[in-house]
Each structure stands twice: as structure tokens, then as C-alpha cells.
């Protein structure tokens, strides 16, 4: 958390007869106060606190309220608390999402990528290029379920077609912004689409779609036209498909390291 965010949070907590958080300046820790011992109790108290901070405009990030809850995991892979997505940066919460690389393959083997241009009304990175579909994983949803949902909502891809996607691993990184430092894990999927398929914006989050050659995609990367984490996902695609290699990229190993940062934060377990 930034020093300004901590100071603002302290000011709000002082007004509460039973504050949900304890802030220890010496240890530089934020912990739950006594009596907030389970996820439901903590989540309700944090929701009330953040709603007040939103009304009072305590944190600028809360003006971009999403109405989505993100889980914060404890050391045993259980959920410690649920937090409004808009506050995830402020708290430095590790977040999870899905990114889908939609692509076509010609009869000669040429790959082209479908990329979306984010709506100009988006609260974050309006007008930047994005994957064909992507989104955060909310409470109780798995990566595959989220992938199918986002494909339908953002690009008009049917569940049957979306389920042809192939899980391609994860990318992990820290996003640094004026709001703080946020660890993120993205579950990446490759979805080969029929050559005659044309995605359709359906939920207002995408302005339009572009069908780019890989050379055109790389040029737009170089021009900084992609949202940063979407750019990382494209680079991961180019690495896995043999377009970026140690033979043509001097910083190949540094790129690999940056795409797979170890994150020292508790994570869910999968069955």
C-alpha cells in the first residue's frame, strides 16, 4: 500500500468504534482486528468500510467501482476475505484472470491474431488493444468457466467453440501504477478459430476487433498500442509459437523471467 493510502485508511478507521483493521507502522503490517475471525464477518466489515470510503472519495480508485468481489487467500489456500475489485490495487491483493488468444491459421500455416480494441468508455486503458477476450476471475468461478463466459460476453463466441480452446499455462507479473504495486496471475488460453469466424462486440467493453498478421501485431506491440498485461500475453504467445526465440531476441531469457515472476502471495489449490 502507498503511504498516502495508508494515511487515508487510518483516518477512516479512527472514526470506527470497532475498526476491522489494525495497522502496525513498526512492522508495516495490516491485520484484522480481534473478533473478525471468519471470511463472512471480515468481508461484510470490509464491504461496509469500502462503501463509506467510496462515498467520501477517500481513495480515488474507488470511483471505478466494479461491483465484483475478489478472493484473498490465506496460507492454507482458504479464502480469508472477499474484497471489491476496485480496491485490489490499494491493498496489493494478488488477482487472477483469464486471457484468450484468438487466432486463425491459413492453409499455408500463416497465423493471424484477433485482437480487440477496448471501449473508450472503459474505466481502465480505454482505446488500447486487448486479447479477443479477457477478464478477472471472480468468487467461486474456475478458469475454464471464466474463459467460456468471457468469450461469449466480449466476442460473441459460442460455448461450444470456446471449449475448443487449449490451456496454455500462466503468466505472472507485478503491475506498478500510481495506485500501488499489484501481483497478478493470468490463466492463458489459445483458441484457434475458423477462418471465416468474425468476433462481434456484445457487452460494450470492446469497441471493435482487428484481424492482424503476426508482423502487424508485433509492430503494434512496439508502438505501445496494447494494454500492458495484454502485451505480455501476446509476447507469451509469440514465444510459445516459436516466433520469438533465442536466435532472434537477445533478451530472450529476461523476457521469459519477466513473464513468469514468482509471487510470494498465498494462492488457491486445484483439485
Amino acid at each position: 500500500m502507498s503511504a498516502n493510502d495508508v494515511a487515508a485508511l487510518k483516518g477512516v478507521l479512527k472514526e470506527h468504534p470497532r475498526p476491522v483493521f489494525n495497522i502496525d507502522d513498526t512492522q508495516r503490517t495490516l491485520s484484522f482486528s480481534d473478533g473478525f475471525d471468519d471470511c463472512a464477518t471480515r468481508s461484510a466489515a470490509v464491504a461496509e468500510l469500502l462503501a463509506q470510503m467510496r462515498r467520501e472519495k477517500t481513495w480515488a480508485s474507488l470511483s471505478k467501482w466494479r461491483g465484483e468481489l475478489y478472493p484473498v487467500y490465506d496460507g492454507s489456500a482458504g479464502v480469508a476475505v472477499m474484497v471489491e475489485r476496485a480496491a485490489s490495487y490499494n491493498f496489493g491483493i494478488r488477482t487472477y484472470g483469464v486471457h484468450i488468444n484468438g487466432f486463425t491459421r491459413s492453409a499455408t500455416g500463416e497465423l493471424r491474431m484477433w485482437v480487440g480494441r477496448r471501449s473508450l468508455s472503459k474505466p481502465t486503458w480505454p482505446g488500447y488493444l486487448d486479447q479477443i477476450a479477457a477478464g478477472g476471475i471472480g468468487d467461486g468461478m474456475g478458469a475454464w468457466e471464466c474463459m467460456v463466459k468471457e468469450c461469449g460476453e466480449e466476442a460473441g463466441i459460442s460455448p461450444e467453440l470456446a471449449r475448443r480452446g487449449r490451456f496454455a499455462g500462466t503468466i505472472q507479473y507485478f503491475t506498478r501504477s500510481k495506485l500501488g504495486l499489484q501481483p497478478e496471475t493470468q490463466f492463458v488460453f489459445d483458441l484457434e478459430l475458423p477462418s471465416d469466424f468474425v468476433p462481434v462486440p456484445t457487452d460494450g467493453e470492446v469497441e471493435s476487433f482487428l484481424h492482424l498478421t503476426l508482423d502487424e501485431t508485433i509492430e503494434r506491440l512496439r508502438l505501445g498500442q496494447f494494454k500492458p498485461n495484454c502485451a505480455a500475453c501476446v509476447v507469451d504467445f509469440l514465444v510459445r509459437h516459436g516466433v520469438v526465440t533465442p536466435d532472434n531476441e537477445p533478451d530472450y531469457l529476461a523476457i521469459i523471467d519477466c513473464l513468469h515472476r514468482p509471487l510470494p502471495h498465498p494462492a488457491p489449490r486445484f483439485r
Side-chain angles (χ1 to χ4, degrees):
M1 295 177 70
S2 71
N4 288 340
D5 283 349
V6 172
L9 179 58
K10 281 182 177 180
V12 177
L13 292 174
K14 285 181 180 178
E15 302 172 4
H16 281 245
R18 188 167 173 254
V20 62
F21 293 124
N22 284 318
I23 298 177
D24 188 320
D25 292 322
T26 303
Q27 298 294 324
R28 298 172 62 86
T29 59
L30 176 77
S31 60
F32 289 106
S33 302
D34 292 341
F36 297 93
D37 301 322
D38 58 71
C39 181
T41 304
R42 294 167 177 167
S43 299
V46 171
E48 180 181 350
L49 175 69
L50 291 176
Q52 175 189 343
M53 294 172 67
R54 180 191 184 190
R55 292 192 302 271
E56 297 174 356
K57 300 180 180 180
T58 307
W59 284 347
S61 62
L62 298 183
S63 66
K64 299 177 181 179
W65 194 272
R66 302 294 191 92
E68 298 177 44
L69 294 177
Y70 275 1
V72 181
Y73 293 93
D74 60 26
S76 59
V79 178
V81 64
M82 301 295 298
V83 175
E84 156 63 31
R85 178 176 178 175
S88 60
Y89 267 103
N90 306 82
F91 285 117
I93 292 167
R94 181 177 180 176
T95 60
Y96 304 85
V98 296
H99 280 241
I100 301 95
N101 294 302
F103 69 99
T104 58
R105 191 189 310 268
S106 72
T108 60
E110 180 193 25
L111 301 183
R112 296 172 69 104
M113 292 194 78
W114 278 107
V115 301
R117 185 175 298 282
R118 295 166 66 84
S119 169
L120 296 176
S121 63
K122 288 280 286 183
T124 56
W125 301 98
Y128 279 75
L129 298 182
D130 204 324
Q131 267 67 58
I132 193 171
I137 300 176
D139 178 37
M141 186 173 289
W144 272 98
E145 180 185 1
C146 186
M147 182 272 285
V148 173
K149 177 181 79 73
E150 295 295 340
C151 280
E153 289 180 354
E154 295 192 355
I157 300 172
S158 69
E160 293 75 21
L161 180 54
R163 291 191 185 101
R164 297 182 191 174
R166 181 178 66 86
F167 177 59
T170 62
I171 60 174
Q172 297 192 152
Y173 50 85
F174 286 93
T175 295
R176 185 186 298 276
S177 76
K178 62 183 180 181
L179 297 177
L181 191 65
Q182 183 176 29
E184 299 186 45
T185 296
Q186 303 294 348
F187 294 85
V188 179
F189 295 84
D190 287 352
L191 176 59
E192 184 168 350
L193 295 163
S195 59
D196 60 350
F197 176 82
V198 178
V200 179
T202 57
D203 65 356
E205 294 198 6
V206 179
E207 196 80 16
S208 60
F209 288 99
L210 302 173
H211 197 204
L212 304 178
T213 66
L214 293 189
D215 284 343
E216 291 170 334
T217 303
I218 291 169
E219 180 61 20
R220 289 171 185 260
L221 280 173
R222 288 177 171 148
L223 292 173
Q225 295 183 5
F226 278 88
K227 180 172 176 269
N229 65 338
C230 300
C233 191
V234 171
V235 172
D236 175 67
F237 180 90
L238 297 174
V239 168
R240 290 185 290 100
H241 287 265
V243 179
V244 175
T245 72
D247 293 328
N248 62 24
E249 175 50 64
D251 295 322
Y252 180 84
L253 290 179
I255 290 171
I256 298 301
D257 288 344
C258 288
L259 290 173
H260 303 285
R261 293 286 190 190
L263 302 178
H265 302 74
R269 296 187 65 192
F270 303 97
R271 297 175 182 174

